[in-house]
Short mmCIF file of all heavy atoms in Angstrom, two decimals:
data_model
loop_
_atom_site.label_atom_id
_atom_site.label_comp_id
_atom_site.label_asym_id
_atom_site.label_seq_id
_atom_site.Cartn_x
_atom_site.Cartn_y
_atom_site.Cartn_z
N PRO A 1 97.62 91.74 38.29
CA PRO A 1 97.18 91.15 36.97
C PRO A 1 98.25 90.43 36.26
O PRO A 1 99.41 90.90 36.25
CB PRO A 1 96.74 92.41 36.16
CG PRO A 1 96.34 93.41 37.24
CD PRO A 1 97.31 93.18 38.38
N GLY A 2 97.99 89.25 35.74
CA GLY A 2 98.94 88.48 35.01
C GLY A 2 99.79 87.57 35.84
O GLY A 2 100.56 86.73 35.33
N ARG A 3 99.67 87.69 37.19
CA ARG A 3 100.47 86.81 38.09
C ARG A 3 99.64 85.62 38.44
O ARG A 3 98.39 85.60 38.40
CB ARG A 3 100.89 87.59 39.35
CG ARG A 3 101.90 88.65 39.08
CD ARG A 3 102.30 89.39 40.33
NE ARG A 3 102.89 88.57 41.35
CZ ARG A 3 104.16 88.26 41.42
NH1 ARG A 3 104.99 88.63 40.47
NH2 ARG A 3 104.64 87.47 42.39
N THR A 4 100.37 84.57 38.85
CA THR A 4 99.72 83.31 39.30
C THR A 4 100.16 83.00 40.73
O THR A 4 101.33 82.94 40.99
CB THR A 4 100.11 82.15 38.37
OG1 THR A 4 99.74 82.44 37.00
CG2 THR A 4 99.35 80.89 38.76
N VAL A 5 99.19 82.81 41.57
CA VAL A 5 99.50 82.49 43.00
C VAL A 5 98.86 81.17 43.37
O VAL A 5 97.92 80.73 42.70
CB VAL A 5 98.98 83.65 43.93
CG1 VAL A 5 99.63 84.98 43.57
CG2 VAL A 5 97.49 83.72 43.91
N ALA A 6 99.40 80.57 44.42
CA ALA A 6 98.88 79.25 44.85
C ALA A 6 98.71 79.24 46.35
O ALA A 6 99.54 79.84 47.09
CB ALA A 6 99.76 78.15 44.38
N PHE A 7 97.69 78.59 46.84
CA PHE A 7 97.53 78.34 48.28
C PHE A 7 97.89 76.90 48.53
O PHE A 7 97.37 75.94 47.95
CB PHE A 7 96.05 78.58 48.69
CG PHE A 7 95.65 80.03 48.63
CD1 PHE A 7 94.71 80.46 47.70
CD2 PHE A 7 96.19 80.95 49.48
CE1 PHE A 7 94.33 81.78 47.65
CE2 PHE A 7 95.83 82.27 49.46
CZ PHE A 7 94.86 82.68 48.53
N LEU A 8 98.87 76.70 49.49
CA LEU A 8 99.28 75.40 49.89
C LEU A 8 99.15 75.26 51.41
O LEU A 8 99.39 76.22 52.12
CB LEU A 8 100.77 75.13 49.51
CG LEU A 8 101.11 75.09 47.99
CD1 LEU A 8 102.63 74.80 47.89
CD2 LEU A 8 100.31 74.10 47.29
N GLY A 9 98.75 74.04 51.83
CA GLY A 9 98.63 73.86 53.25
C GLY A 9 97.76 72.61 53.52
O GLY A 9 97.25 71.95 52.61
N SER A 10 97.54 72.30 54.77
CA SER A 10 96.76 71.21 55.18
C SER A 10 95.28 71.36 54.88
O SER A 10 94.86 72.53 54.58
CB SER A 10 96.90 70.92 56.67
OG SER A 10 98.30 70.78 57.01
N SER A 11 94.50 70.29 54.95
CA SER A 11 93.05 70.46 54.74
C SER A 11 92.45 71.23 55.95
O SER A 11 92.92 71.07 57.06
CB SER A 11 92.43 69.04 54.72
OG SER A 11 92.92 68.37 53.63
N GLY A 12 91.46 72.07 55.62
CA GLY A 12 90.74 72.78 56.66
C GLY A 12 91.33 74.09 57.15
O GLY A 12 90.80 74.65 58.06
N VAL A 13 92.52 74.50 56.58
CA VAL A 13 93.10 75.73 57.05
C VAL A 13 92.53 76.99 56.36
O VAL A 13 92.86 78.09 56.74
CB VAL A 13 94.63 75.69 56.89
CG1 VAL A 13 95.24 74.59 57.76
CG2 VAL A 13 94.98 75.54 55.38
N GLY A 14 91.67 76.75 55.36
CA GLY A 14 90.99 77.92 54.72
C GLY A 14 91.49 78.21 53.35
O GLY A 14 91.25 79.33 52.80
N LYS A 15 92.18 77.29 52.65
CA LYS A 15 92.63 77.57 51.27
C LYS A 15 91.49 77.88 50.36
O LYS A 15 91.54 78.86 49.56
CB LYS A 15 93.44 76.37 50.79
CG LYS A 15 94.66 76.05 51.59
CD LYS A 15 95.54 74.98 50.98
CE LYS A 15 94.79 73.69 50.69
NZ LYS A 15 94.30 73.02 51.86
N SER A 16 90.47 77.06 50.38
CA SER A 16 89.33 77.26 49.45
C SER A 16 88.54 78.54 49.86
O SER A 16 88.07 79.26 48.99
CB SER A 16 88.41 76.06 49.51
OG SER A 16 89.00 74.88 48.98
N THR A 17 88.46 78.80 51.12
CA THR A 17 87.78 80.06 51.58
C THR A 17 88.52 81.28 51.11
O THR A 17 87.95 82.24 50.66
CB THR A 17 87.70 80.05 53.15
OG1 THR A 17 86.98 78.87 53.58
CG2 THR A 17 86.97 81.28 53.61
N LEU A 18 89.89 81.20 51.17
CA LEU A 18 90.69 82.34 50.65
C LEU A 18 90.53 82.49 49.10
O LEU A 18 90.46 83.56 48.67
CB LEU A 18 92.16 82.02 50.96
CG LEU A 18 92.64 82.24 52.42
CD1 LEU A 18 93.99 81.61 52.69
CD2 LEU A 18 92.64 83.74 52.79
N THR A 19 90.54 81.36 48.42
CA THR A 19 90.27 81.42 46.99
C THR A 19 88.99 82.09 46.66
O THR A 19 88.86 82.95 45.81
CB THR A 19 90.34 80.00 46.38
OG1 THR A 19 91.61 79.41 46.69
CG2 THR A 19 90.21 80.10 44.86
N ASN A 20 87.92 81.66 47.36
CA ASN A 20 86.59 82.26 47.18
C ASN A 20 86.64 83.76 47.46
O ASN A 20 86.01 84.58 46.79
CB ASN A 20 85.57 81.59 48.08
CG ASN A 20 85.13 80.25 47.54
OD1 ASN A 20 85.20 80.00 46.35
ND2 ASN A 20 84.69 79.38 48.46
N ALA A 21 87.36 84.17 48.52
CA ALA A 21 87.48 85.57 48.86
C ALA A 21 88.15 86.39 47.72
O ALA A 21 87.72 87.52 47.43
CB ALA A 21 88.31 85.77 50.14
N LEU A 22 89.20 85.83 47.10
CA LEU A 22 89.85 86.57 46.01
C LEU A 22 88.93 86.56 44.76
O LEU A 22 89.02 87.49 43.97
CB LEU A 22 91.19 85.86 45.66
CG LEU A 22 92.23 85.93 46.74
CD1 LEU A 22 93.54 85.31 46.23
CD2 LEU A 22 92.48 87.37 47.21
N LEU A 23 88.15 85.50 44.57
CA LEU A 23 87.25 85.45 43.42
C LEU A 23 86.00 86.28 43.58
O LEU A 23 85.34 86.66 42.64
CB LEU A 23 86.82 83.98 43.12
CG LEU A 23 87.91 82.98 42.77
CD1 LEU A 23 87.36 81.58 42.65
CD2 LEU A 23 88.58 83.40 41.50
N GLY A 24 85.73 86.66 44.87
CA GLY A 24 84.50 87.40 45.14
C GLY A 24 83.23 86.63 44.93
O GLY A 24 82.18 87.19 44.72
N ALA A 25 83.36 85.28 45.09
CA ALA A 25 82.17 84.39 44.92
C ALA A 25 82.42 83.11 45.58
O ALA A 25 83.59 82.70 45.81
CB ALA A 25 81.87 84.22 43.44
N GLN A 26 81.38 82.40 45.86
CA GLN A 26 81.50 81.07 46.45
C GLN A 26 81.63 80.01 45.41
O GLN A 26 80.80 79.18 45.18
CB GLN A 26 80.28 80.75 47.40
CG GLN A 26 80.16 81.64 48.60
CD GLN A 26 81.38 81.45 49.55
OE1 GLN A 26 81.71 80.32 49.88
NE2 GLN A 26 81.95 82.60 49.99
N ALA A 27 82.73 80.11 44.66
CA ALA A 27 82.97 79.20 43.54
C ALA A 27 83.39 77.80 43.98
O ALA A 27 83.24 76.82 43.21
CB ALA A 27 84.01 79.81 42.57
N ILE A 28 84.00 77.71 45.17
CA ILE A 28 84.53 76.39 45.64
C ILE A 28 83.80 76.05 46.94
O ILE A 28 83.68 76.88 47.84
CB ILE A 28 86.06 76.49 45.87
CG1 ILE A 28 86.71 76.99 44.55
CG2 ILE A 28 86.60 75.22 46.31
CD1 ILE A 28 88.19 77.26 44.69
N ALA A 29 83.36 74.83 47.08
CA ALA A 29 82.72 74.37 48.22
C ALA A 29 83.69 74.32 49.39
O ALA A 29 84.92 74.06 49.20
CB ALA A 29 82.16 72.96 48.04
N THR A 30 83.23 74.59 50.63
CA THR A 30 84.11 74.61 51.76
C THR A 30 83.43 73.77 52.88
O THR A 30 82.21 73.54 52.87
CB THR A 30 84.39 76.01 52.33
OG1 THR A 30 83.12 76.58 52.72
CG2 THR A 30 85.09 76.85 51.30
#
């Protein structure tokens, strides 16, 4: 809690999928 993390990498490696997993919802299209 209170920390800020970032996903960096090429397209298609799963950054948005990882973000959705942490959010517990399909908030970002993949």
Side-chain angles (χ1 to χ4, degrees):
R3 291 179 62 84
T4 303
V5 302
F7 291 112
L8 296 180
S10 305
S11 298
V13 296
K15 300 187 303 298
S16 295
T17 303
L18 285 166
T19 301
N20 284 335
L22 294 185
L23 297 176
Q26 294 297 312
I28 303 172
T30 60

